Amino acid sequence: MKGRAPKTGYSRDEFGAAWADVDRNGCDTRNDVLARDLTATSARPGTRECVVLTGVLQDPYSGKPISFTRGETTSAAIQIDHVVALSDAWQKGAQQLDRTRRTALANDPLNLLAVDGPLNNQKSDSDAASWLPPNRAYRCAYVARQVAVKTTYALWVTQAERDAIAGVLQECPAEPLPTGGAPAAVAQQEAPRQEAPQPPAAPAPAPQAPTEQAPGNPATAPFASCAAARAAGAAPVHRGEPGYSSKIDRDGDGVGCE
C-alpha cells in the first residue's frame, strides 16, 4: 500500500503563481471561481467584470448562505478551497509532475470551490480520511470531486483515504464523477441517516475510489465505461491491454478513453 510521501520540498511556489490567469480570459482564478459560485454578484467598474465586489454563496461545506463583501477584514469570510489540497497532492504524486502540470492542478476549476472561510481553515490539507464537510448532504459530491481530481492528475490515495471515500460513496451509488469546473448543485442540509438506505433499483455505476497503485496498471477485465477506467487510473487504455474493449474506443483508433 502507498502511504504519504515525505513533505520535503513542498511549498506553494511549486504550483506556480497563486491564482494565475491560466485560461487567459483576463481574470485571475480566484475571481473566476467567485463569479462562478456566487449569485447576485457585483463587480468593480473598469475591471471587465473581473473583480467581484459582493455576492452570496450557498456554501457547500456548511449548507448555509454566506454574504460576500470584498475588503481587508471581510474577504476571508469566503475562501477558495483546493478540494484536493496542494500539500496532500504533493505527498501523493504531484512532486513527480512538471511545474506546468502542477500549475494546472492549482488553477483547475475542477479542483476549486468557493467555501466558508473558517471551514476551509479547519480542513487545512486534510484528505477524506481526516476531514469531510459538516454538510452531510454534500459529502458524496465532495469525495466524487476528489476522485475526479486525483484521477485527472495521476495522484494516489492511502488505504485509509480509499476506505473513507468508499464508505461515503456506498450511500450514493448514482453519484457521477464531475468532469469540469461547473459548480455542483448544493443539496439542502439533511439530518444524519439513522438507518442504512435501501439500494435503488438498477443503480447507475458508482464512481470508484482510486487505487493505491500507480496509474496505468492493467485491469483484469474490460472496463464498463471510461469513467470506470479513469477512476481506476488506467486511462487511456490501448488495444491489447487488459481492460480494453471496443465499447470504450468510440473512434476505433485502438486507444480507449483518450
Side-chain angles (χ1 to χ4, degrees), residues 38-42 52-57 66-70 78:
L38 274 60
T39 60
T41 57
S42 67
V52 177
L53 293 179
T54 61
V56 178
L57 172 70
I66 303 174
S67 295
F68 173 77
T69 301
R70 181 177 294 274
I78 293 177

Side-chain angles (χ1 to χ4, degrees), residues 6-137:
K7 195 174 178 178
T8 306
Y10 169 74
S11 75
R12 177 61 180 81
D13 291 344
E14 292 292 338
F15 291 81
W19 308 131
D21 180 17
V22 293
D23 60 2
R24 305 294 179 89
N25 70 345
C27 305
D28 65 74
T29 302
R30 174 178 166 78
N31 279 292
D32 279 342
V33 177
L34 288 173
R36 182 196 70 181
D37 291 358
L38 274 60
T39 60
T41 57
S42 67
R44 180 177 294 163
T47 63
R48 294 178 294 176
E49 302 295 311
C50 274
V51 179
V52 177
L53 293 179
T54 61
V56 178
L57 172 70
Q58 184 63 34
D59 175 43
Y61 288 177
S62 68
K64 301 175 182 178
I66 303 174
S67 295
F68 173 77
T69 301
R70 181 177 294 274
E72 184 175 345
T73 61
T74 56
S75 288
I78 293 177
Q79 298 178 16
I80 308 303
D81 180 36
H82 287 96
V83 179
V84 173
L86 300 186
S87 172
D88 180 66
W90 179 262
Q91 297 171 78
K92 296 172 183 175
Q95 58 186 278
Q96 299 169 15
L97 303 177
D98 61 33
R99 189 178 182 85
T100 298
R101 192 67 171 152
R102 289 198 297 266
T103 299
L105 167 61
N107 292 278
D108 190 337
L110 180 65
N111 193 32
L112 298 171
L113 289 176
V115 300
D116 175 82
L119 284 178
N120 187 43
N121 292 335
Q122 180 190 93
K123 173 191 171 182
S124 186
D125 63 352
S126 299
D127 61 22
S130 50
W131 191 90
L132 290 169
N135 180 17
R136 296 177 64 89

